[in-house]
Amino acid sequence: MSGHTITPTRAEAAATVAGRTSRRSSLALSRAAQELDLKRGEFDLAVRLGRVRTVPDEGGGGRRVTRAEIDRVRAEDGFPEVLRGRVETVGTRDGAALMEVTPGRFTRFARLGLVVPVNWYVNRYRAVVWLYLADEVRQFAVEPENARLLTGRTPEGLRGQLETGVDLRPRNWRGRHLGFELRQAEDPWAKAAVVASLLDPVQTVEIVRDPYERAHLDRLRPVRPGQPAPESPAASIAARIMTAQDCDEIEWLRAELAQTLIEARRHRPAPRPAPGPPDRQATMPGCPPAAWGEAMRVPEGALLGRTAAMQPEQTRSRSMLGWLRRRDA
């Protein structure tokens, strides 16, 4: 082998050149965030909102941003202030200030689903902090049909929902998150993994019976930026938020997963181990298995001959021991 050189095919060489060219004409996400004057969290949200488009890394290293996309965003009017404004988020207190209502009223709006969170995190006190797009909060405040909600008593129908303990913030975030991830999914299997990521594992097993398909979905499962480590105290809180809870939501996701699986299977089968060679029985060189008994059988005469050959030696040993005993006596 040492004297031979493996020459790549023309297709392999072209793919290598294309990959190098693609990486030179695109930027890693961290570098793209710097080019767009955004903090990394702002940049991630801009990508999820579709404000900045990404492409797959030809080398398999995640996603990248093309130089052309960087130039397009930078050429927009009001860059970078307008872009920063589109990804600005506010919590409950700042959101209430934008609406000119109390934090309590703002929280009721969010629980009723009138404003939808775009992100969340668990603070050091293990409390969930919901974040909202500042643009959407401002838009809600200026729409005429919402004027009666900003002042006076909450309508009776909405009060009744609040009294039952309704809180649509997790569900609405999941719906928004699902849309974000589906836009990034490259093929039907990736889309199925996105849907499955919002279901309890027990629900997924009922829909996806094949263990190799489940393993493939697990490998493609999206990881949310800032998700707590599996062993951290906030992990159980995060798992509850990221898993469908309501019966109708669960049924819809189950149906969506089943349909997406049909499309994925048509696209291509899930990878599974290649069938190995049949088990080979150990064989003795030059000796078929059927002849093992004969090959391993020791002739009876050989054992007798060996015993006979040992007898004189044993007799000499006994005589020597007897002489030593008599001498010592």
Side-chain angles (χ1 to χ4, degrees):
M1 293 294 293
S2 59
H4 297 279
T5 301
I6 299 176
T7 304
T9 65
R10 183 175 300 179
E12 290 172 338
T16 301
V17 173
R20 291 173 180 170
T21 302
S22 175
R23 290 185 68 85
R24 284 197 299 268
S25 61
S26 63
L27 291 77
L29 300 185
S30 56
R31 178 60 182 170
Q34 295 176 11
E35 292 275 337
L36 296 176
D37 294 332
L38 295 175
K39 298 176 182 177
R40 185 54 193 266
E42 294 173 332
F43 174 82
D44 290 339
L45 185 54
V47 170
R48 294 169 70 79
L49 292 173
R51 303 295 185 185
V52 179
R53 297 187 292 263
T54 62
V55 296
D57 186 349
E58 298 295 337
R63 302 190 68 84
R64 297 175 68 86
V65 181
T66 63
R67 172 58 64 182
E69 177 67 3
I70 296 292
D71 294 340
R72 182 192 69 80
V73 176
R74 291 179 65 90
E76 291 180 346
D77 292 340
F79 175 85
E81 288 77 12
V82 171
L83 178 60
R84 288 202 195 103
R86 289 172 177 169
V87 297
E88 180 188 1
T89 58
V90 293
T92 298
R93 188 173 300 279
D94 291 338
L98 288 177
M99 283 188 181
E100 298 183 355
V101 297
T102 64
R105 186 178 290 256
F106 182 90
T107 299
R108 290 195 290 274
F109 291 160
R111 288 177 55 192
L112 290 165
L114 301 178
V115 288
V116 178
V118 72
N119 212 340
W120 58 271
Y121 65 91
V122 180
N123 65 15
R124 60 179 177 174
Y125 304 108
R126 300 185 190 177
V128 179
V129 178
W130 296 99
L131 299 174
Y132 309 84
L133 283 174
D135 271 353
E136 291 183 355
V137 173
R138 295 188 189 97
Q139 185 64 30
F140 181 91
V142 299
E143 289 178 352
E145 59 268 28
N146 296 329
R148 63 188 183 91
L149 296 174
L150 299 174
T151 58
R153 290 175 57 83
T154 303
E156 183 177 351
L158 298 181
R159 286 204 309 273
Q161 294 182 49
L162 292 170
E163 290 170 359
T164 63
V166 67
D167 188 353
L168 296 178
R169 288 174 295 183
R171 178 170 180 166
N172 283 341
W173 175 84
R174 286 192 295 270
R176 193 164 212 167
H177 172 73
L178 180 66
F180 290 160
E181 295 294 344
L182 287 177
R183 283 197 295 272
Q184 296 290 323
E186 296 296 327
D187 62 24
W189 280 109
K191 291 180 180 179
V194 171
V195 178
S197 70
L198 298 181
L199 283 169
D200 184 274
V202 175
Q203 302 285 344
T204 303
V205 169
E206 292 180 358
I207 302 298
V208 191
R209 298 286 186 174
D210 189 320
Y212 294 111
E213 290 183 344
R214 291 200 301 273
H216 189 46
L217 294 179
D218 284 341
R219 285 192 295 270
L220 296 174
R221 179 183 292 265
V223 178
R224 196 185 74 86
Q227 182 175 337
E231 302 300 326
S232 68
S236 60
I237 300 174
R240 187 171 64 251
I241 292 174
M242 299 183 71
T243 304
Q245 304 292 330
D246 301 328
C247 291
D248 59 334
E249 181 187 9
I250 292 171
E251 289 303 315
W252 182 84
L253 287 171
R254 285 170 60 98
E256 189 69 15
L257 177 58
Q259 181 59 40
T260 310
L261 274 177
I262 294 173
E263 299 172 5
R265 290 163 181 155
R266 289 173 180 168
H267 179 65
R268 69 168 182 273
R272 60 189 65 235
D279 292 338
R280 295 182 178 179
Q281 293 180 341
T283 58
M284 296 177 64
C287 184
W292 283 8
E294 296 298 327
M296 298 299 291
R297 186 178 296 119
V298 180
E300 188 173 321
L303 289 174
L304 292 174
R306 186 179 178 187
T307 303
M310 291 173 64
Q311 287 176 354
E313 184 67 25
Q314 291 173 349
T315 302
R316 287 194 296 271
S317 298
R318 292 193 189 100
S319 299
M320 181 65 72
L321 288 171
W323 179 81
L324 289 172
R325 290 193 188 101
R326 289 194 299 272
R327 184 173 179 271
D328 292 339

